[in-house]
Amino acid sequence: MDAMALTPSRDLGLAVRRGALLRCPNCGVGHLFRSYLRPVDGCAHCGEQLGYIRADDGPTWLTLIVVGHVVVALALVVVSTTDWSTGFSMALFSALAVVLSLALLPSAKGIFIGIIWAQKLARPEGA
């Protein structure tokens, strides 16, 4: 019998929500990251091993899609309704894009870690 078939299923939606909140996808209590984007090796609360999960470029892609849509939509509305200078608008929306990207990137990485964990798409190195 396949060992994967014997393990209990994991709730994808719950794991994604917990990851977005920067919490362990298993228990929802322990912290997911030990620094800005570096995941913990294991959850301090439940002991679930998380350090082996690699999200790669997924979080960056998701962050750029969200930030791009928000900033471009806002820029189009503001430019069409105000008479701000081009230089001011460029500086404002560039800064907004950077701030939003830095703010959303950890949650995006948490979402991908939650998905990978819930779907059992990665295995610890010894397994």
Side-chain angles (χ1 to χ4, degrees), residues 8 11 17 22-23 27-28 30 32 36-38 57-58 60-61 65 70 86 90 94 104 114 116 121:
D11 185 347
R17 283 190 300 276
L22 311 180
R23 298 292 176 188
C27 68
L32 186 56
Y36 179 62
L37 289 175
R38 184 171 298 242
D57 293 334
T60 306
W61 170 82
I65 295 294
V70 169
T86 303
M90 286 175 48
S94 296
L104 293 177
I116 293 167
L121 298 174

Side-chain angles (χ1 to χ4, degrees), residues 5-117:
L6 297 176
T7 59
S9 64
R10 298 172 175 174
D11 185 347
L12 177 62
L14 185 59
V16 167
R17 283 190 300 276
R18 288 175 174 171
L21 295 172
L22 311 180
R23 298 292 176 188
C24 169
N26 186 44
C27 68
V29 177
H31 293 283
L32 186 56
F33 298 111
R34 60 180 163 190
S35 62
Y36 179 62
L37 289 175
R38 184 171 298 242
V40 295
D41 291 329
C43 176
H45 186 261
C46 70
E48 182 72 25
Q49 293 301 306
L50 302 167
Y52 66 92
I53 299 174
R54 302 285 176 250
D56 296 331
D57 293 334
T60 306
W61 170 82
L62 179 60
T63 301
L64 288 175
I65 295 294
V66 171
V67 170
H69 280 81
V70 169
V71 172
V72 169
L74 188 59
L76 288 172
V77 169
V78 168
V79 167
S80 67
T81 59
T82 65
D83 59 349
W84 293 347
S85 71
T86 303
F88 177 76
S89 295
M90 286 175 48
L92 176 69
F93 293 116
S94 296
L96 180 62
V98 169
V99 169
L100 283 176
S101 295
L102 291 174
L104 293 177
L105 192 55
S107 290
K109 186 166 183 175
I111 288 169
F112 272 82
I113 289 174
I115 291 169
I116 293 167
W117 176 84

